Amino acid sequence: MPECFVAKASELKDGDRRIVVSGPHEVGVFFKDGDYYAYSNYCVHAGGPACEGILVNNVVDILNGDQTYEGQTFGDAVHFACPWHGYEYDLKTGECIGDRKLRLRKYNVVKRGDEIFVVI
Amino acid sequence: MDMVRNEVRQLNPEQYTETKALDHASQQARQRNYQDFLIVDVDAHHYESESYKDVFSYIENPVIKMEAMDSMTRAGRSGFLNNQVGYQSLGGRMTRHKNRAFFKARGDRHRDVDWTLDWMDAMGVDYSCMFPTPMLFLGLHPQVEIEVALCRAYNHWLCERILAQEPRIVSMLYLPFNDPEWAYRTVRDFGDKKGVVGFMVTSPRYKPVHDNAYMKTYALLQEMGKPISFHAAYSWDDRALATTNRFISVHSLGFMWFNMIHMTNWVVNGIPERFPKLKTMWIESGLTWAYCLMQRLDHSYMMRTSDCPQLKRKPSEYMQDMYYSSQPMEVPDDLSILEATFKMIKAETQLVWSSDYPHWDFDLPSVIYDLPFLKEQAKRNILGANAARLFNLDSKPVKTIP
Ligand code: FES
């Protein structure tokens, strides 16, 4: 399994990412809240660049105890949204939010000294 | 064959190009050999509002022209044109809408020509039918004369600045349907212009399509052999749709709702019997609405033939003679349901692929090409051959896939 260089760890700020292209593989590597995540950059919907959109927290409807609606806010889960049509994915698992049976292929990320690699 | 590639990229919106943004579409186009056959997109868009200054200069009436030009100086305040509340960019999740500001024209032609050709080539499209965007709501403008004035200015502008410049871009021109006399004159005045392959009615509006005032327009279209199309949109001002509180609701329903009404009036009032050679196309309502309406109208027709005495066949049989644009393809988990829908609308001859690019729910050609129940010839018919027949286009592919 070849390892592909992603970036120097010191270059990646919180929320940064790189797209690593190696032959037929395209992988989005994210650095968020101290962790690295790597997923296939091919969206489960129509093959769009799934990892090239914005990072956004989940949206929550606020309901009161009596089931009345109060408004909306953001929750704690971080998603990334495919820029072609907006399919959202859970950053921690790569699962597609609209149907969690669907998920992006996950890749392993390794850190050697100050260098980050993704295993393709 | 895709080139062997090795690189590490950063996201850089300022270097946005359609070719880069649609790189994965180009990969699909190469893998599926789209260069070997014709692909026609019957419904794509540009943002005419970016060219309003130029478009307004074509307004014929001097008073309306002055109002229009003045409205350009009042950004954000009450304007000369109506619009709709909308959340098409999904709160910024759809990045191309703002990134396209970085796109630059290459030469003397209008920026929209270069931009359109770039995404067409990237997807593998040979010809594309260009429609406006904010003007999809113009049928709801409170002043009929403004619909007429802007429609005529836009049509003149489009013919001169876009269609005359690029043979791969065609259009079904906007009809100012709230004024039947001007709708007729629009067909008469523009029907023979280069790149005009038909005429389009924006569906959100409140004039019945069976009104006697439209008969001479339908007759003229039939005589010219040009199709009439009904392009769906939503209206949050519609009394029933006004009860919805999310964009998903008003959009999902609105894009079916207005076309369902127009189709029902069209068939029940026997327009296909009165104008048997008039080609009719229904755009951007998806496909499920047609299936649903066919079953529903056929069911009621058997009990109420006296309500529609002009019909010699069941409503669904007339509907099977019409054309349907494919986007948005509602793909169910169980593909046998989609297969039944294709059968019901006679997709092999009546379905015409559309992208709706760059709008938020656009489709690629693979949405048709990858369907397992279609034979190769059926795929090619839907992706291009049916539309080429309808629009009288040459069947030789002319694109250059990057
Ligand atoms: S291709 Fe990713 S949302 Fe459609």
Side-chain angles (χ1 to χ4, degrees):
Chain A
M1 296 274 243
E3 289 182 0
C4 295
F5 175 73
V6 178
K8 289 200 185 284
S10 51
E11 289 167 5
L12 293 178
K13 296 191 296 294
D14 187 55
D16 272 358
R17 86 194 73 168
R18 295 287 186 271
I19 307 297
V20 178
V21 182
S22 174
H25 302 276
E26 277 190 32
V27 181
V29 183
F30 298 84
F31 176 59
K32 180 72 180 153
D33 298 329
D35 285 317
Y36 298 94
Y37 306 93
Y39 297 106
S40 165
N41 193 32
Y42 288 92
C43 183
V44 299
H45 173 217
C51 301
E52 297 188 27
I54 64 166
L55 288 171
V56 59
N57 281 50
N58 62 315
V59 174
V60 179
D61 272 0
I62 305 165
L63 298 182
N64 297 313
D66 60 358
Q67 298 302 318
T68 53
Y69 169 77
E70 193 64 36
Q72 290 191 320
T73 188
F74 286 108
D76 296 330
V78 181
H79 297 171
F80 54 98
C82 175
W84 273 11
H85 311 93
Y87 271 38
E88 290 187 37
Y89 295 95
D90 187 326
L91 182 65
K92 291 208 163 130
T93 64
E95 289 169 341
C96 179
I97 302 304
D99 181 350
R100 287 188 183 266
K101 291 194 296 298
L102 304 172
R103 59 166 70 213
L104 296 171
R105 179 176 167 191
K106 196 173 174 57
Y107 292 84
N108 285 330
V109 179
V110 288
K111 189 173 176 190
R112 300 192 197 292
D114 186 42
E115 297 193 323
I116 308 297
F117 297 85
V118 61
V119 186
I120 290 182
Chain B
M1 270 289 281
D2 288 334
M3 309 275 284
V4 176
R5 308 165 309 153
N6 283 295
E7 61 171 339
V8 179
R9 280 193 269 122
Q10 299 193 42
L11 304 185
N12 189 347
E14 288 178 23
Q15 287 175 5
Y16 181 90
T17 67
E18 290 299 317
T19 310
K20 281 189 208 155
L22 291 170
D23 176 49
H24 288 193
S26 304
Q27 291 177 25
Q28 292 178 17
R30 293 191 294 270
Q31 286 155 2
R32 291 159 179 76
N33 296 317
Y34 291 166
Q35 75 276 0
D36 293 346
F37 60 94
L38 186 78
I39 298 188
V40 179
D41 182 356
V42 304
D43 173 28
H45 293 268
H46 70 140
Y47 295 98
E48 75 285 7
S49 42
E50 293 170 353
S51 303
Y52 268 165
K53 195 164 173 218
D54 206 9
V55 174
F56 290 169
S57 72
Y58 284 76
I59 293 176
E60 290 151 335
N61 182 294
V63 177
I64 296 176
K65 186 175 182 172
M66 184 178 157
E67 291 286 2
M69 288 299 187
D70 178 63
S71 73
M72 302 283 301
T73 65
R74 299 199 306 267
R77 286 174 279 149
S78 63
F80 149 78
L81 295 171
N82 59 315
N83 210 333
Q84 278 286 319
V85 170
Y87 300 93
Q88 283 85 344
S89 294
L90 270 160
R93 292 170 182 82
M94 211 71 56
T95 49
R96 67 181 166 280
H97 292 160
K98 57 174 182 281
N99 290 347
R100 65 189 292 283
F102 296 108
F103 180 82
K104 293 187 185 57
R106 286 184 287 273
D108 293 340
R109 296 198 295 186
H110 193 281
R111 174 181 187 266
D112 289 356
V113 173
D114 291 339
W115 172 77
T116 301
L117 291 178
D118 280 2
W119 70 250
M120 286 169 63
D121 279 335
M123 281 189 202
V125 173
D126 294 283
Y127 294 94
S128 180
C129 183
M130 181 184 268
F131 288 121
T133 297
M135 279 176 65
L136 292 175
F137 303 120
L138 191 59
L140 299 167
H141 198 290
Q143 299 164 279
V144 172
E145 63 187 324
I146 301 297
E147 183 189 20
V148 173
L150 188 62
C151 153
R152 303 229 0 134
Y154 174 77
N155 287 346
H156 275 299
W157 175 86
L158 189 74
C159 287
E160 254 181 66
R161 300 295 309 276
I162 308 282
L163 305 186
Q165 311 293 326
E166 177 47 58
R168 290 176 61 197
I169 304 175
V170 297
S171 185
M172 288 186 269
L173 292 188
Y174 185 107
L175 272 187
F177 211 61
N178 285 335
D179 187 326
E181 182 58 30
W182 276 107
Y184 174 80
R185 288 186 206 173
T186 299
V187 176
R188 186 195 64 193
D189 297 347
F190 291 93
D192 291 327
K193 297 251 189 247
K194 181 170 176 258
V196 176
V197 293
F199 289 86
M200 180 272 288
V201 178
T202 54
S203 299
R205 58 179 69 244
Y206 295 95
K207 281 241 194 247
V209 297
H210 53 281
D211 193 300
N212 277 339
Y214 295 122
M215 296 309 126
K216 68 177 186 176
T217 301
Y218 301 154
L220 182 58
L221 283 164
Q222 177 175 253
E223 187 191 317
M224 295 175 98
K226 302 266 175 179
I228 185 169
S229 61
F230 291 87
H231 191 303
Y234 65 95
S235 168
W236 230 324
D237 302 320
D238 181 86
R239 285 189 68 186
L241 295 174
T243 65
T244 62
N245 67 333
R246 296 275 156 85
F247 188 75
I248 185 176
S249 319
V250 73
H251 186 276
S252 301
L253 293 172
F255 272 71
M256 295 198 292
W257 174 235
F258 291 102
N259 270 353
M260 288 178 109
I261 293 169
H262 297 322
M263 174 70 96
T264 302
N265 282 334
W266 190 267
V267 173
V268 165
N269 289 283
I271 306 297
E273 279 294 339
R274 296 192 234 178
F275 302 98
K277 294 216 161 69
L278 176 56
K279 299 169 202 160
T280 312
M281 187 194 291
W282 303 86
I283 296 179
E284 212 183 329
S285 299
L287 301 181
T288 51
W289 73 283
Y291 190 159
C292 148
L293 198 57
M294 283 175 175
Q295 280 196 18
R296 181 75 180 170
L297 289 178
D298 280 2
H299 168 78
S300 300
Y301 172 73
M302 295 306 288
M303 297 176 278
R304 308 195 65 89
T305 49
S306 59
D307 275 355
C308 20
Q310 290 179 58
L311 302 194
K312 300 196 175 80
R313 298 182 282 157
K314 288 184 185 174
S316 66
E317 294 177 57
Y318 294 99
M319 291 174 69
Q320 284 172 338
D321 291 339
M322 301 182 198
Y323 293 88
Y324 300 88
S325 76
S326 59
Q327 183 275 343
M329 271 271 293
E330 305 114 333
V331 183
D333 288 344
D334 178 354
L335 282 182
S336 68
I337 294 165
L338 187 63
E339 190 175 2
T341 308
F342 271 50
K343 196 167 151 199
M344 196 77 170
I345 62 163
K346 296 212 166 123
E348 283 204 30
T349 55
Q350 305 311 120
L351 184 61
V352 281
W353 175 76
S354 55
S355 74
D356 194 40
Y357 197 75
H359 290 175
W360 68 278
D361 50 351
F362 76 93
D363 279 344
L364 292 176
S366 55
V367 81
I368 295 294
Y369 198 83
D370 293 355
L371 289 175
F373 57 80
L374 289 179
K375 298 221 166 64
E376 182 71 19
Q377 191 53 51
K379 294 175 183 180
R380 294 183 180 202
N381 289 350
I382 295 166
L383 285 169
N386 291 343
R389 212 175 52 244
L390 184 65
F391 292 160
N392 215 4
L393 300 172
D394 193 275
S395 59
K396 193 164 149 276
V398 288
K399 65 206 159 212
T400 309
I401 298 166

